[in-house]
Amino acid sequence: MNLATWSVRKPTPSVLLFVLLTLAGIWGFRNLGVQHFPDLDLPTINVMLVQPGAAPAQLETEVARKVEDAMATLQGLKHLRTSVTDGRVAMYAEFDIRRPLSDCLLDVKDAVDRVRKDLPADVEEPQVNKVTIAPGGPMLTYAISHSAMDEEALSWFVDDTVSRAVLRVPGVGQFTRVGGVQREVQVEVDPARLAAVRATAADVSRALRRVQLEASGGRGQLGGAEQGVRTLATVRRAEELAALPIALADGRSLRLDQVATVRDTTAQRTQAALLDGKPVVGVQIARTRGYDETRIAEGIAQALEALQRKHPGMGVTVVRSTVDFTLEQYRGSMEMLYEGAILAVLVIWWFLRDWRATLIGAAALPLSILPAFAVMAWFGFTLNTLTLLALAVVVGILVDDAIVEVENIARHLRGGKSVLDATIDAVEEIALAVVTTTATLVVVFVPTALMSGIPGLVFRQFGWTVVAAVLASLLVARLMTPVMAMWLLRGGHSHDADGRWMQGYLRMAGWCIRHRKTTLLAGLAFFLGSLALVPLLPTGFVPPRDEGSTSIAMELPPGASLERSLSTIEEVRQAIADVEGIRAVFATVGAPPLASGPGSGPLIGELRKGSLTLVLAPRGERPTQQQVEDAVRERLAGIAGVRLSIGQGTGKKLQVILASQDAPTLRATALQVERDLRGLPFLSGIASTASLERPEITVRPHAALAAERGVSTQAIGETLRIALSGDVDTALSQWNLDTRQVDIRVQVGDAIRHDLDAIGALRVPGRGGVLVPLSSIAELRVESGPAQIDRYNRERQVTINADLGGYSLSQAIEERNALPSIRSMPASVRLIESGDAELMVEMLGGFAMALLTGILLVYAVLVLLFHDWFLPITILSAVPLSLGGVFVAVLAAGYELGMPVLIGMVMLLGIVTKNSILLADFAVMAHETRGMALVDALMDACHKRARPILMTTVAMVAGMLPLALGLGGDASFRQPMAVAVIGGLVTSTGLSLLVVPVVFLYVSDLEAWLRSFLPGREKAGK
C-alpha cells in the first residue's frame, strides 16, 4: 500500500494535514513583508577616518594605505573601495555573502585597532559601522514647511521633532535632512586687533573653550546629604559672549569684543534642496534591510499626521515614494497569479469537460500555494517580485500532478471500473512518474539556490519558493487528489474515440519511429541550430525597470561654489521642464546621496555635485521611462561645462575601472580610454574621476626663516585652519540651550578668505610669543592638486561611467574591449569588471556551474527512482530540444540573455523532463509488465500519455500567459522569463513527443549491445 492508496482508505489524516497547512499558510501570508526586490547586497562595513586639514595625497600615504594593508588579510573580503578627500578617508569593505555581518564588523574593528598606533596623532577616533540600510537609496522623500517658522527654525524642527517621530517607526534605518541651515554663533576676529594684543584666532578659540564650559566633578556632603558639584560658566544669550572676559595662555586677559564681533546666525550653507526650482527643507528616509516597505510607509504617514495635528502650521509634501512602485508591482504580481490560475483551470475544463474533474485540479492551486507562504515566512522571505513571480510561473506546474492523476483516473473510469478501483489503480500506476517529476524540479533548484554572490540571493528566494510550492503540490497529488476523486468523480463513462489531433499525432509518431535516423538527425540539427543563435543574443544582468522616477547626477569642476551649482541645477531643470511625462523635479546640491546598492562605494557630499530626481506621471499617462530619459538626454546635450549622467539602477550604466600602482600612467591611460569611449555613438554622460584637479592655496614655509623666528609647521597649519574655517567640530566651544547645543566658531571674516595677500598677512606665533606675518616665513601660491583619490583593492583607480541609453551591456562591453586604448593598455594598468558587468560575469559563471550540477542531480535522481542507468538518458534528451524555443522567443522579443531568462532556463530543465518521464515510464511499464513489444509499448505510451502531456503544457503556458503579455505594472523582469519558458515549452513538448520515442529505441539498442558483453547480468543498476 502506497501513500495515495492509504489516503483513499483513510482520508481523515490527509484532510486534517491540509487544514493545518492551510491555516499555517494564511498565518504566513499575513506575516510576510512586502518589498519590490529582496535586499540584494553583500555584507558591507564602512570605515571613516578623519584628519582635519589633511590633503588627499597626504591622507592616502599616512592613513589609507596603512588601514588597507591591515584589512587585506580579512577572511572573506571581496572588494575594498576607498575614497580620499580633504581631511577624510571613507572605506567601503564588501565581504563574501556567507560571512555574518557581525563577524565582518568585529574583524574590521580589530584590523583598524591594530594599525591605530601607526596613524598620525591628530587622526580622530575611527568610525567603523556595519551597513544596515537597504540598497536602492531613499524610499521616501518629503518637503517639510511651517507657516510660523523661518528656515533656521524649520531646519531645527526637522532635525529634532520630525526626526524623533519618524525614527520611532520600526524599520526606519536613516533619516537625512537635505537643504536648510544650521544655527551657529560666529565669532569673527579682526586680524589687526588680534595683532595689537599679540594673539591669534587659535588663541581666542582655545581660550573661549576653556571659559565657556560646564564641568562636573567632586561631591559635597552638606547637611548630612550628598550633593554633586557642577561648574557652570556658560552664557544664557549669545549677545553675552561679546562682554565675556577670556584668559589667554600667557596669563593675559581680554574681553571678546576687543578683538571680535559676535553674531548669532547660521553656519555657512553647505547644501540646498529645491522642489520645482523653489528652496525647500527636504527629508529623505531609508529603510533597514529586511523590513516591509509598505508597513514602514504607513507608520511614517501616521507619525507625520500626528505631528501635523500637534503643529497646525506644518505642511508635508510627498516628493517621491518608491512604496507606490512597490505596491504597484505587488498588486500586479498578485493579479498575474490570479489570472494565471484562472486560465490554468479553464484549460483543465476545456480538456476534460467535467466540472468535477476541473474542481479537483483547481483545488490543487490554493492547497499548494498556501503552504508555500508558510515556508516563505519561516525562511524570512518577503512578498516581492521574485517570490510572487515564482508562484505565478509554477501555477501550471502545481496543477500538473493533479491533472495527470485526474486524467489517469478518468481514463480508468472510461474502461468501466468502479470509482474506487479506478482511483486506486490509476494512482498506483502513475505514482513513480509523479514522484519523479517533482523530484527533478526540486533538485534542479538546489544548486541554483546555493549559488554565491548577488545572483545567489536572487536564485535563493526564487528557488526555495518554487521548491516549497512543488513539494506541496506533490502532497496534494498523492493525498488530496485521490480523496477528492473518490468523493466527486462518477463512474459509467464510455470510451471516447480518438479525435483528429490524436490520430494525426499517432501517424506522425509512427512515421518518426519508422524513420529513426531522419528523426534523430532532424532533432540534432535543431539543437545545433539553437546553439548557433547564442552569439546573436545580447547578454546583461537585470533589465532596466520603469519605476516611475529617474535621476540626473550633476558634477561641476572642482572648486565650484554653491551658487554656481544652484545656477547649473536651475539651468538643467528649465531645459527639461516641458519634457512629456515629468510631474515634478526635486534637486539637491551638496547633500551626500544615500548608497544605491552594491558597488556604489563611499559617498561624500560636495558643493560641486548635485542630483535631480525626476518624478514621473502615472504609468498610463506618460511615455515609458526609457523614452523620457532619451528625451531628457537630448535636451541636456547642449549644456556645457558640466557632467550630467542620466538614469539609475541596474541595466543602465557601463562602468569601467582602471587600477594601477603607477599613478601617472593610470591617469594617462584613463584619459585615452575616456576619449575613445566618447567616440562610441551609443554612449552618453561619460564621466571620469581621472581629471579631478582642484585649485588650492599652498603654503610652503622657508625652513631657515621659520626656524630662525621659532615658527613650527604645526603652528602654521593650526593657525590657518582655525582662522579660515574654525576649529574641528570636536574642539569647538558650545552654547547650551534647553534642547540642543549650538557651535561657537572662531574665524576671520569672508573678505580675508577671498584675498591671498590678506591670508599672507595673518600672524603665526613664534619664539617668545612674538607674532610673525605668515608671508615673511612662507611662500603662498595658488596651485592645483587632486580633489579626490579613489582606490580599489589597495590600488589607485579611475572609474569611468557611461549611460547605456537602452543599449545592450554585453554589446557595450564588446565595443569597449575593441577600443585601441584598451587593447594597447600598459602592463601596469589593469581593467577591472565592476558594476553590472561584474555581476553579469559572476551570474553567467555561477549559472553554468549550477545548470551542470542540476543536470547531474536530475540524472542521479532518475537513476535512483527508475533503477536504470540508461532510461534517464532518454528522459534528458528533451532538454536540448527546449533551447531553440527559448533562444528564438528571446531573440524575437528583443530581450537580453540575463537573469530572468536564465531563471526560465533553469525552470525548463525541470519542466521538460516531466513530459519525457510520463512517456518513458508508461512505455517501460507496458513493455516489462504487460509484455508488449518495445515499439508497440512506445506507441501505446504516445497514445495514452499525449493527452495529459498536452494538458499540462497548455496549462503551464496559460498560467504564464499574463506574465508574457506584460500585464500589471512594470513587467521588465517578469516578461523575459515568461517568454523564455513558453518558447522552450512549445518546442520541447512538440518535439519530445516525436523525438523522445526514437531516442528511447536507440538507447535501448545501446543498452542491449552493452549487456551482450555481460552475459547473465541483470539490467544495469538493478
Side-chain angles (χ1 to χ4, degrees):
M1 180 187 299
N2 59 35
L3 197 62
T5 56
W6 173 80
S7 68
V8 170
R9 293 186 171 90
K10 296 183 178 180
T12 302
S14 301
V15 174
L16 178 60
L17 172 64
F18 275 92
V19 168
L20 295 176
L21 288 176
T22 300
L23 293 175
I26 295 172
W27 169 85
F29 181 79
R30 292 176 60 87
N31 285 276
L32 285 171
V34 177
Q35 292 179 318
H36 165 54
F37 235 64
D39 296 330
L40 305 181
D41 55 353
L42 302 175
T44 305
I45 305 297
N46 274 348
V47 180
M48 185 70 67
L49 300 111
V50 176
Q51 184 181 9
Q58 173 190 352
L59 279 171
E60 181 189 30
T61 302
E62 298 182 358
V63 178
R65 288 178 181 271
K66 294 178 180 179
V67 178
E68 285 177 347
D69 291 343
M71 295 174 58
T73 58
L74 295 183
Q75 179 186 355
L77 181 65
K78 189 173 182 181
H79 295 306
L80 181 59
R81 294 176 170 87
T82 304
S83 178
V84 187
T85 56
D86 265 342
R88 185 180 304 236
V89 177
M91 308 181 77
Y92 188 93
E94 290 181 356
F95 287 83
D96 187 89
I97 196 170
R98 291 166 291 189
R99 292 221 62 199
L101 186 58
S102 57
D103 291 353
C104 299
L105 178 64
L106 292 175
D107 288 351
V108 173
K109 282 186 174 181
D110 289 344
V112 175
D113 289 342
R114 286 197 305 270
V115 79
R116 180 72 177 89
K117 63 181 184 301
D118 299 327
L119 302 180
D122 57 343
V123 171
E124 297 179 7
E125 190 63 28
Q127 300 177 26
V128 182
N129 299 300
K130 57 186 178 182
V131 177
T132 58
I133 303 301
M139 58 174 283
L140 288 167
T141 302
Y142 293 99
I144 309 294
S145 61
H146 200 294
S147 57
M149 296 182 182
D150 58 15
E151 186 179 20
E152 188 280 322
L154 179 60
S155 299
W156 171 245
F157 177 74
V158 169
D159 290 342
D160 179 50
T161 307
V162 178
S163 67
R164 281 190 286 110
V166 171
L167 289 172
R168 281 198 294 263
V169 177
V172 173
Q174 184 171 338
F175 178 96
T176 305
R177 170 171 61 83
V178 289
V181 293
Q182 193 79 23
R183 187 176 181 180
E184 183 178 86
V185 176
Q186 292 183 355
V187 179
E188 186 177 308
V189 294
D190 184 334
R193 287 191 279 173
L194 282 174
V197 297
R198 302 192 313 278
T200 66
D203 293 332
V204 174
S205 180
R206 286 193 290 264
L208 187 59
R209 179 169 176 80
R210 288 193 297 268
V211 173
Q212 176 67 18
L213 184 67
E214 288 188 7
S216 61
R219 292 180 299 173
Q221 295 179 341
L222 303 179
E226 185 173 293
Q227 301 87 24
V229 179
R230 294 175 60 203
T231 303
L232 304 177
T234 56
V235 297
R236 294 183 177 274
R237 294 183 300 140
E239 293 80 5
E240 297 176 12
L241 281 174
L244 184 69
I246 57 174
L248 300 179
D250 59 1
R252 294 179 295 121
S253 66
L254 53 85
R255 283 166 48 107
L256 197 55
D257 58 5
Q258 289 182 249
V259 293
T261 303
V262 179
R263 292 182 299 164
D264 182 2
T265 179
T266 58
Q268 182 178 0
R269 191 185 295 271
T270 58
Q271 60 170 319
L274 304 99
L275 179 60
D276 292 329
K278 299 177 181 179
V280 295
V281 176
V283 167
Q284 292 182 331
I285 301 169
R287 67 177 176 86
T288 303
R289 295 177 187 172
Y291 278 83
D292 183 344
E293 296 176 36
T294 59
R295 292 174 187 168
I296 295 174
E298 290 174 2
I300 292 172
Q302 293 172 3
L304 293 178
E305 287 174 4
L307 278 180
Q308 286 180 292
R309 289 193 298 269
K310 189 175 180 180
H311 303 274
M314 176 183 172
V316 177
T317 303
V318 180
V319 177
R320 176 179 179 267
S321 171
T322 63
V323 181
D324 296 337
F325 176 69
T326 298
L327 287 174
E328 181 189 33
Q329 291 300 98
Y330 169 71
R331 296 188 186 108
S333 298
M334 293 299 292
E335 289 171 3
M336 296 303 98
L337 183 59
Y338 300 145
E339 293 168 4
I342 292 171
L343 288 174
V345 171
L346 289 176
V347 167
I348 299 174
W349 178 86
W350 185 69
F351 271 96
L352 297 180
R353 303 299 174 92
D354 185 333
W355 69 268
R356 293 183 176 88
T358 303
L359 180 61
I360 296 172
L365 286 173
L367 292 178
S368 302
I369 290 176
L370 286 173
F373 286 141
V375 174
M376 289 165 58
W378 184 40
F379 281 178
F381 296 167
T382 58
L383 292 170
N384 55 64
T385 298
L386 289 174
T387 52
L388 290 175
L389 178 61
L391 294 176
V393 168
V394 299
V395 158
I397 300 174
L398 299 182
V399 299
D400 190 358
D401 293 338
I403 288 175
V404 171
E405 293 208 350
V406 169
E407 198 279 337
N408 207 37
I409 294 171
R411 185 174 60 83
H412 280 269
L413 286 173
R414 289 194 296 269
K417 297 181 181 179
S418 66
V419 175
L420 178 61
D421 292 338
T423 300
I424 292 176
D425 292 346
V427 296
E428 286 183 344
E429 181 182 72
I430 208 71
L432 181 60
V434 170
V435 172
T436 304
T437 55
T438 302
T440 56
L441 269 172
V442 170
V443 298
V444 158
F445 280 99
V446 169
T448 54
L450 298 177
M451 284 173 58
S452 61
I454 300 296
L457 287 175
V458 176
F459 281 105
R460 176 175 176 265
Q461 294 221 11
F462 186 93
W464 288 122
T465 301
V466 170
V467 168
V470 169
L471 287 176
S473 74
L474 175 63
L475 284 178
V476 173
R478 294 279 80 198
L479 296 178
M480 289 304 299
T481 299
V483 172
M484 296 180 68
M486 277 289 300
W487 292 344
L488 294 176
L489 294 184
R490 297 291 181 267
H493 295 277
S494 60
H495 178 74
D496 294 332
D498 293 334
R500 290 184 179 179
W501 72 270
M502 177 64 76
Q503 296 172 7
Y505 163 65
L506 291 175
R507 284 195 296 270
M508 293 176 63
W511 185 92
C512 289
I513 289 176
R514 292 192 300 272
H515 301 81
R516 303 180 195 177
K517 291 183 179 179
T518 303
T519 303
L520 191 63
L521 289 174
L524 183 61
F526 180 81
F527 173 62
L528 295 177
S530 304
L531 296 181
L533 295 176
V534 174
L536 304 178
L537 290 171
T539 56
F541 179 51
V542 175
R545 58 179 184 255
D546 187 336
E547 56 186 349
S549 67
T550 186
S551 66
I552 303 173
M554 179 203 75
E555 183 178 0
L556 289 169
S561 64
L562 178 64
E563 290 71 22
R564 182 182 173 187
S565 296
L566 289 173
S567 174
T568 306
I569 281 278
E570 180 61 18
E571 182 182 1
V572 171
R573 189 191 69 82
Q574 291 181 357
I576 62 174
D578 58 346
V579 172
E580 182 184 1
I582 297 179
R583 188 178 65 185
V585 178
F586 180 73
T588 61
V589 172
L594 296 176
S596 58
S600 56
L603 300 169
I604 301 172
E606 296 182 64
L607 290 179
R608 66 187 185 89
K609 293 182 179 180
S611 67
L612 296 92
T613 299
L614 313 183
V615 183
L616 307 184
R619 194 179 307 278
E621 303 173 12
R622 59 170 171 85
T624 65
Q625 182 171 320
Q626 184 62 55
Q627 291 172 334
V628 172
E629 290 176 354
D630 291 340
V632 168
R633 199 170 280 112
E634 291 178 6
R635 298 293 181 89
L636 301 182
I639 299 181
V642 59
R643 292 174 175 174
L644 298 171
S645 178
I646 302 165
Q648 61 185 357
T650 56
K652 295 188 177 183
K653 300 288 183 182
L654 173 66
Q655 188 176 74
V656 181
I657 291 184
L658 304 176
S660 175
Q661 296 286 8
D662 186 346
T665 303
L666 174 63
R667 176 180 169 81
T669 304
L671 292 174
Q672 293 175 1
V673 172
E674 181 183 0
R675 185 166 51 249
D676 287 350
L677 286 173
R678 294 186 184 278
L680 298 179
F682 55 86
L683 294 180
S684 62
I686 298 173
S688 169
T689 60
S691 56
L692 295 179
E693 292 286 328
R694 54 131 196 213
E696 62 182 13
I697 299 173
T698 59
V699 179
R700 302 181 187 278
H702 300 296
L705 291 175
E708 180 183 337
R709 301 192 180 188
V711 178
S712 67
T713 304
Q714 180 181 1
I716 294 174
E718 187 176 61
T719 300
L720 287 176
R721 185 185 75 241
I722 295 177
L724 300 179
S725 62
D727 211 338
V728 295
D729 291 344
T730 55
L732 290 178
S733 179
Q734 303 289 327
W735 175 32
N736 295 330
L737 301 180
D738 291 339
T739 57
R740 60 170 163 164
Q741 288 186 317
V742 178
D743 290 339
I744 302 175
R745 189 176 300 274
V746 177
Q747 60 184 17
V748 298
D750 289 344
I752 295 176
R753 291 197 293 271
H754 295 163
D755 187 343
L756 185 62
D757 292 334
I759 295 174
L762 293 175
R763 268 37 176 194
V764 293
R767 183 179 295 108
V770 176
L771 298 183
V772 179
L774 178 62
S775 58
S776 67
I777 49 92
E779 180 184 9
L780 282 72
R781 298 177 57 183
V782 178
E783 299 179 351
S784 63
Q788 180 172 319
I789 297 174
D790 295 315
R791 296 174 60 80
Y792 183 87
N793 291 345
R794 302 165 63 207
E795 290 183 304
R796 277 277 187 103
Q797 64 104 340
V798 171
T799 300
I800 305 173
N801 289 300
D803 299 338
L804 290 173
Y807 201 73
S808 165
L809 177 62
S810 62
Q811 293 174 344
I813 291 175
E814 290 180 6
E815 296 279 355
R816 178 205 67 188
N817 292 339
L819 294 175
S821 55
I822 295 292
R823 299 176 64 181
S824 59
M825 189 180 299
S828 60
V829 180
R830 296 187 301 117
L831 173 65
I832 298 174
E833 297 290 0
S834 184
D836 286 356
E838 179 190 13
L839 294 175
M840 182 182 71
V841 172
E842 181 182 355
M843 177 191 66
L844 292 175
F847 168 77
M849 180 58 66
L851 192 60
L852 178 61
T853 306
I855 292 175
L856 292 176
L857 287 176
V858 169
Y859 178 80
V861 166
L862 294 173
V863 169
L864 291 174
L865 292 176
F866 285 106
H867 304 289
D868 193 313
W869 294 91
F870 292 91
L871 186 59
I873 298 175
T874 301
I875 294 171
L876 288 172
S877 65
V879 174
L881 301 178
S882 67
L883 296 180
V886 173
F887 296 154
V888 169
V890 171
L891 196 60
Y895 297 130
E896 294 181 338
L897 186 63
M899 183 172 286
V901 174
L902 294 181
I903 292 177
M905 292 176 66
V906 172
M907 289 205 63
L908 279 172
L909 176 59
I911 293 173
V912 299
T913 57
K914 294 171 71 73
N915 297 337
S916 300
I917 289 171
L918 291 175
L919 200 63
D921 176 62
F922 196 89
V924 169
M925 189 183 304
H927 176 60
E928 296 183 352
T929 305
R930 290 185 281 167
M932 295 179 66
L934 195 55
V935 172
D936 294 336
L938 282 170
M939 290 301 298
D940 188 51
C942 291
H943 183 205
K944 293 178 179 177
R945 284 290 173 258
R947 180 183 172 94
I949 287 174
L950 190 61
M951 284 176 62
T952 56
T953 299
V954 175
M956 283 187 277
V957 170
M960 284 181 284
L961 195 58
L963 301 175
L965 294 176
L967 305 176
D970 175 40
S972 59
F973 194 92
R974 301 191 298 253
Q975 202 168 9
M977 189 185 68
V979 167
V981 173
I982 290 176
L985 273 175
V986 170
T987 58
S988 68
T989 301
L991 293 177
S992 63
L993 285 172
L994 300 174
V995 177
V996 168
V998 174
V999 175
F1000 191 107
L1001 291 173
Y1002 275 113
V1003 172
S1004 297
D1005 292 342
L1006 174 63
E1007 181 183 5
W1009 179 74
L1010 291 175
R1011 288 177 60 196
S1012 66
F1013 294 98
L1014 300 170
R1017 293 272 185 157
E1018 293 291 328
K1019 184 182 287 190
K1022 288 189 177 181

